[in-house]
Amino acid sequence: MKSILILLAAIGAQACQPKDLRDISLRRHKREFKREFEREEKAPFPPDWDEAEQILLNSFDNTTIDQWAYYYTHGAHLAGTNKTMAQWTADRWAEFGWTSRLDEYYIYLNYPVSHSMQLSYSNGSTFTPSLEEAVLIEDETSSYPNRIPTFNGYSASGNASAEYVYIGRGQQVDFNRLKTLGIETEGKIGIAKYGGPFRGLKVKNAQEHGMIGVVIFSDPSDDGNVTEAKGVATYPNGPARNPTSVQRGSVQFLSIYPGDPTTPGYASKVDSPRSDKSENVPKIPSIPISWLDAQPILQSLNGHGPAGKEVNRTGWVGAIPGVTYNTGPVPGATLSMSNIMEDKYNWIWNTIGIINGTNNDEVVIVGNHRDAWIVGGAADPNSGSAVMVEMAKAFGKLLETGWKPTRTIILCSWDAEEYGTVGSTEWVEEYVPWLAGAAVSYLNVDVAVSGPIPDMSASPELHSIGTSIMKKIIYPYRGSTNQTMYDIWSTEGSGEIGVLGSGSDYTAFIHRGIGSLDIGAGGGKEDPVYHYHSNYDSYHWMTKFGDPGFVTHKSIGQYLTLLTYHLANDASLPLEPANFATEMKAYLEELEDTISTANATLNLGDLTEAIDAFEKYSSQFNSLREEALSTNDADLLKVVNHKARDFQRGFTSQGGLPGREFYRHIVFAPGLDTGYAPVTFPGVTEAVMEGNLTLAQEWLGKTAKGISVAANILKT
Ligand SMILES: *[C@@H]1O[C@H](CO)[C@@H](O)[C@H](O)[C@H]1NC(C)=O
Ligand SMILES: *[C@@H]1O[C@H](CO)[C@@H](O)[C@H](O)[C@H]1NC(C)=O
Ligand SMILES: *[C@@H]1O[C@H](CO)[C@@H](O)[C@H](O)[C@H]1NC(C)=O
Ligand SMILES: *[C@@H]1O[C@H](CO)[C@@H](O)[C@H](O)[C@H]1NC(C)=O
Ligand SMILES: *[C@@H]1O[C@H](CO)[C@@H](O)[C@H](O)[C@H]1NC(C)=O
Ligand SMILES: *[C@@H]1O[C@H](CO)[C@@H](O)[C@H](O)[C@H]1NC(C)=O
Ligand SMILES: *[C@@H]1O[C@H](CO)[C@@H](O)[C@H](O)[C@H]1NC(C)=O
Ligand SMILES: *[C@@H]1O[C@H](CO)[C@@H](O)[C@H](O)[C@H]1NC(C)=O
Ligand SMILES: *[C@@H]1O[C@H](CO)[C@@H](O)[C@H](O)[C@H]1NC(C)=O
Ligand SMILES: *[C@@H]1O[C@H](CO)[C@@H](O)[C@H](O)[C@H]1NC(C)=O
Ligand SMILES: [Zn+2]
């Protein structure tokens, strides 16, 4: 392996440390990291279906979907607290002909005990935030006595009292900006706005900058024009955000390690050795609050420290009335916060359902998590859970005809996703020897529906089948029923397929080299505001605003069902490895941009060669597949199917990406300082952004090597 490094001419790596480079890159990723598809005018209508497809599609019924949705959204099901619901899921699947069971793990979790907060103005008067979401008569689960407090999962327990500083979205670049402006963060409490990076990374960055506590607030600026300030009625009377709504959520350091933070790299059993979790979860307490509670806290900073406009950072200024988003601090004005959590080891339950195929060395896995931060969870995740039960029912109908799939199908209802994709990560860690040999693809649905517009992210080999199945699904949209899902996706949606970062259960699969697709539907700019991780993500909201009639649920379920059917049943696996070559060439161009923005010089020769080899061998693979299909040679077909199943394992790097062993995929990964949003060629790109060109060149070599391994699996 060549590792000749051409360093920056005059300036040393330190001097070149790019200040706002992360930000530039992130904006570019948003625009370009969804590769455009060649869009056809409109998919043929009505679509053509074969007999099996018709049986599957016709089985879908919005009345039963409604029943499943109702069940899942009327009982607390925080991670590790509702085994009844896991068993209920297993029982439904079993009724429809699936062999089902519960897979248990024993994991570290923490639960809220008590919390409080107080603002003391410098004149001695005080304000006490309520830290509660309003009980709404219209929305029955908002008043359940066992409703779940507003809190951050995996937050540290503790008290903090200090002057406080507004830290924007809490990204590293925000802290860099504060430093430039001379704002001290050491020993202070940070108040951060939701949006941008995963919330755990806001807390991580604050902790690394010496802060002793963090408060994270929702801001109506995320709601566009659907706000009270623009004259729109708030939930439950209208589609705007209820001002008391709070976004709960995990503060794990997701981009470093998902899963049980005490068992990195292996499954959590009752007697598993436990390692120090402090690298993966915060040491300082954090509390999430509503914009109504945030208003006086931020207003008190008005006129102190640089104003929001002057700070001039992406997403810094929000839309809370009367707030100028100054940094503060205000001498003598303090926040006191107390956050008490109960740390414990607890059982979690993944429900697993299986239909054996004729080829048991080829397995298609479909998953959705079941746990929610609230009693409801009508969108996140139980729109997906309801759809999965209906899908199990549809396959049951097909089984009744005597059908048996070519490949094994596995359904998974994960627990503890919300704390950090824990149920799926532990399961993958347990079964990885078998999965690495047998898994064809992992299909994920999390929020199946929070609005009417379909959205998809996937690894490149799934792009083609992922879009073609959309053309087979009738997709009701704003009262019109004569179009396909593809039409709505390509006209009202982005018409682009996202790159997988993290934030749901595909993470553990992808980073073991198992290709994945993530599907769901969300709201557009003018749709009702979805109260993410709030009590108002409820059955009432869903039936009134999110998806009245469960019509979008039905279409998303039908989509997932047909996609699963074709992956499990087509003689030739409908995967397109060659599309990885197309995508990697685009990522290479983006990498070249990143390198030139950083004024760096690196040798891209090995990487370019490896991508060219991949392109050549994937096209050889296509020829061999055509031959297998035209000669109908079963042995040859098995050979090509196994190549399609296996090639992506080559993209995984033993030992993982720099500083994060868990993340192994060398083509894409969650950004270190984003958590959700992806970075492509992450080993190289992150090193360039950090200004470590030695590391970048080393990772150019490792990335090229991984691509060569994948290419050689496809070679015929
Ligand atoms: C790259 O060089 C240009 C011109 O010399 C300079 O303006 C820019 O700030 C540099 N960028 C970085 C990230 O160092
Ligand atoms: C578990 O969930 C079910 C269904 O929503 C609910 O009926 C039950 O009360 C929940 N159990 C607990 C202990 O909250
Ligand atoms: C103290 O300051 C706050 C914020 O400026 C103000 O709302 C409050 O009325 C003041 N209290 C007294 C007693 O002056
Ligand atoms: C809000 O409305 C204004 C005026 O109609 C429009 O220009 C703007 O694009 C809208 N913003 C969003 C986010 O929809
Ligand atoms: C804000 O920053 C951008 C880019 O760094 C710069 O072009 C712009 O002039 C700045 N605006 C103000 C008001 O400082
Ligand atoms: C933390 O704060 C709470 C609420 O103010 C208080 O009851 C508790 O005694 C404090 N604990 C410690 C260790 O200071
Ligand atoms: C499915 O296959 C597995 C492994 O080959 C086997 O252990 C299991 O008994 C089969 N299940 C059914 C219901 O046939
Ligand atoms: C679908 O319905 C619209 C009006 O509702 C009509 O204009 C259009 O021609 C119809 N398209 C098809 C393909 O039937
Ligand atoms: C099912 O959808 C139809 C419209 O297609 C609607 O009239 C009906 O109310 C829906 N049923 C339920 C249970 O939501
Ligand atoms: C750059 O990465 C190399 C590993 O390739 C490491 O040895 C070195 O310490 C890193 N430099 C900095 C400044 O972090
Ligand atoms: Zn979710």
Side-chain angles (χ1 to χ4, degrees):
M1 184 181 69
K2 261 185 299 176
S3 177
I4 306 304
L5 166 67
I6 305 140
L7 259 178
L8 314 167
I11 5 173
Q14 200 51 40
C16 167
Q17 183 108 355
K19 281 231 165 2
D20 277 338
L21 189 55
R22 277 176 191 280
D23 220 31
I24 295 162
S25 310
L26 285 183
R27 260 179 279 133
R28 199 177 59 233
H29 292 183
K30 271 216 167 118
R31 200 174 65 247
E32 292 182 356
F33 269 22
K34 294 187 159 200
R35 304 249 67 87
E36 283 229 26
F37 254 77
E38 285 173 36
R39 295 181 211 168
E40 289 160 28
E41 277 296 287
K42 191 176 187 302
F45 197 90
D48 271 338
W49 301 295
D50 67 24
E51 207 177 313
E53 289 174 332
Q54 285 183 40
I55 291 170
L56 291 168
L57 294 173
N58 291 340
S59 168
F60 271 77
D61 178 355
N62 61 348
T63 307
T64 39
I65 295 174
D66 181 351
Q67 286 165 17
W68 318 140
Y70 187 93
Y71 174 80
Y72 281 117
T73 55
H74 285 75
H77 48 302
L78 194 58
T81 67
N82 197 328
K83 187 177 183 182
T84 309
M85 189 184 276
Q87 189 58 51
W88 182 91
T89 304
D91 293 346
R92 295 292 78 66
W93 295 355
E95 270 169 30
F96 302 130
W98 297 70
T99 304
S100 65
R101 62 167 203 246
L102 302 189
D103 281 0
E104 308 183 325
Y105 296 95
Y106 195 64
I107 68 162
Y108 162 70
L109 283 165
N110 66 10
Y111 297 107
V113 175
S114 66
H115 61 195
S116 62
M117 198 186 294
Q118 194 173 56
L119 162 63
S120 303
Y121 295 101
S122 50
N123 64 12
S125 63
T126 60
F127 163 72
T128 305
S130 84
L131 308 183
E132 292 230 30
E133 301 190 276
V135 166
L136 308 174
I137 296 152
E138 296 85 343
D139 187 337
E140 58 170 344
T141 53
S142 72
S143 68
Y144 269 28
N146 62 344
R147 65 184 180 276
I148 297 158
T150 54
F151 79 109
N152 286 147
Y154 285 149
S155 172
S157 257
N159 288 5
S161 184
E163 286 176 0
Y164 60 99
V165 171
Y166 174 52
I167 57 174
R169 296 190 304 188
Q171 230 164 345
Q172 282 173 19
V173 275
D174 293 320
F175 283 95
N176 290 347
R177 187 75 186 123
L178 287 171
K179 201 168 201 174
T180 308
L181 292 165
I183 308 301
E184 184 64 61
T185 53
E186 188 76 30
K188 304 259 187 307
I189 289 173
I191 177 161
K193 184 166 165 276
Y194 265 122
F198 180 75
R199 70 183 82 63
L201 302 179
K202 298 171 194 276
V203 181
K204 179 173 188 279
N205 291 333
Q207 176 178 304
E208 284 168 3
H209 286 84
M211 304 197 102
I212 60 169
V214 179
V215 176
I216 315 174
F217 65 95
S218 302
D219 195 292
S221 60
D222 291 342
D223 305 338
N225 288 335
V226 188
T227 61
E228 201 176 6
K230 296 260 164 84
V232 181
T234 59
Y235 182 73
N237 302 313
R241 179 186 301 274
N242 183 291
T244 70
S245 82
V246 177
Q247 181 190 134
R248 294 160 188 74
S250 172
V251 287
Q252 186 182 42
F253 300 163
L254 181 68
S255 62
I256 309 294
Y257 178 70
D260 180 344
T262 67
T263 59
Y266 53 93
S268 295
K269 303 284 184 167
V270 77
D271 52 359
S272 295
R274 302 284 162 172
S275 69
D276 174 20
K277 62 181 187 296
S278 66
E279 293 302 307
N280 301 330
V281 297
K283 297 187 182 78
I284 60 172
S286 63
I287 295 179
I289 64 173
S290 67
W291 78 252
L292 205 58
D293 274 347
Q295 191 175 35
I297 301 175
L298 291 166
Q299 256 170 351
S300 142
L301 301 179
N302 284 356
H304 298 270
K309 279 212 178 84
E310 194 191 323
V311 175
N312 190 21
R313 277 278 313 135
T314 315
W316 190 276
V317 176
I320 301 179
V323 171
T324 52
Y325 296 88
N326 283 61
T327 61
V330 181
T334 59
L335 269 182
S336 298
M337 58 192 281
S338 168
N339 183 55
I340 307 305
M341 308 286 296
E342 181 192 14
D343 277 10
K344 64 193 227 184
Y345 288 93
N346 215 358
W347 291 103
I348 59 166
W349 308 276
N350 293 332
T351 306
I352 306 295
I354 303 178
I355 298 175
N356 277 347
T358 10
N359 304 348
N360 67 4
D361 59 352
E362 295 169 359
V363 178
V364 177
I365 303 148
V366 189
N368 153 256
H369 74 95
R370 189 183 61 252
D371 64 304
W373 288 120
I374 54 244
V375 168
D380 184 6
N382 302 120
S383 53
S385 316
V387 151
M388 290 265 288
V389 176
E390 195 66 11
M391 169 170 164
K393 182 182 123 192
F395 276 105
K397 281 274 188 312
L398 202 54
L399 288 174
E400 283 169 14
T401 69
W403 170 80
K404 180 175 187 183
T406 306
R407 303 180 185 90
T408 295
I409 307 175
I410 302 190
L411 295 187
C412 309
S413 167
W414 309 116
D415 201 350
E417 185 270 356
E418 290 292 3
Y419 278 74
T421 69
V422 181
S424 57
T425 301
E426 300 311 311
W427 194 80
V428 169
E429 287 175 344
E430 175 162 21
Y431 290 109
V432 75
W434 163 67
L435 288 170
V440 166
S441 302
Y442 171 69
L443 309 178
N444 191 63
V445 63
D446 183 333
V447 180
V449 184
S450 64
I453 302 172
D455 188 34
M456 172 166 100
S457 297
S459 46
E461 83 285 1
L462 282 159
H463 286 187
S464 165
I465 183 72
T467 42
S468 69
I469 297 294
M470 281 200 237
K471 296 178 185 166
K472 286 188 176 265
I473 305 300
I474 294 181
Y475 199 90
Y477 184 75
R478 304 198 197 282
S480 162
T481 55
N482 66 349
Q483 68 271 314
T484 68
M485 181 172 172
Y486 179 85
D487 299 327
I488 300 304
W489 172 73
S490 61
T491 57
E492 305 299 320
S494 67
E496 296 168 336
I497 300 176
V499 175
L500 293 166
S502 185
S504 196
D505 292 302
Y506 52 78
T507 312
F509 289 91
I510 270 288
H511 288 277
R512 294 296 189 151
I514 299 164
S516 295
L517 180 145
D518 184 44
I519 188 70
K525 281 196 303 197
E526 281 147 35
D527 285 309
V529 171
Y530 157 49
H531 296 74
Y532 177 58
H533 291 179
S534 144
N535 280 347
Y536 314 129
D537 177 8
S538 60
Y539 181 81
H540 180 77
W541 180 84
M542 186 59 81
T543 51
K544 194 107 201 252
F545 293 101
D547 188 18
F550 291 92
V551 295
T552 308
H553 279 71
K554 178 170 163 179
S555 296
I556 297 289
Q558 290 175 323
Y559 174 80
L560 197 60
T561 301
L562 287 201
L563 183 59
T564 304
Y565 171 74
H566 284 282
L567 282 165
N569 216 57
D570 290 1
S572 158
L573 266 180
L575 301 177
E576 293 299 338
N579 191 44
F580 248 102
T582 311
E583 293 291 310
M584 287 193 295
K585 283 183 179 172
Y587 305 161
L588 182 60
E589 277 178 30
E590 281 158 6
L591 179 60
E592 283 166 351
D593 277 7
T594 303
I595 291 171
S596 82
T597 310
N599 296 332
T601 312
L602 291 162
N603 182 347
L604 296 175
D606 286 355
L607 180 58
T608 311
E609 267 176 40
I611 294 172
D612 288 346
F614 186 93
E615 184 172 36
K616 182 171 131 203
Y617 294 144
S618 60
S619 118
Q620 278 183 8
F621 164 87
N622 283 346
S623 310
L624 189 68
R625 180 155 68 184
E626 271 163 38
E627 188 190 327
L629 281 171
S630 65
T631 57
N632 208 7
D633 178 333
D635 291 338
L636 197 53
L637 204 51
K638 197 165 204 59
V639 169
V640 293
N641 280 346
H642 286 186
K643 284 180 181 297
R645 179 194 65 187
D646 297 339
F647 80 98
Q648 193 156 190
R649 314 290 191 261
F651 292 131
T652 57
S653 167
Q654 290 286 330
L657 296 170
R660 40 180 183 159
E661 211 176 329
F662 176 88
Y663 288 100
R664 300 183 176 202
H665 207 292
I666 51 145
V667 185
F668 35 76
L672 262 176
D673 198 29
T674 63
Y676 297 123
V679 167
T680 49
F681 295 136
V684 186
T685 304
E686 298 274 10
V688 172
M689 295 203 287
E690 275 164 25
N692 188 338
L693 298 185
T694 318
L695 188 62
Q697 192 66 57
E698 189 184 306
W699 272 86
L700 276 164
K702 290 189 178 179
T703 305
K705 196 168 178 191
I707 295 167
S708 305
V709 175
N712 282 320
I713 295 172
L714 291 171
K715 190 175 172 185
T716 63

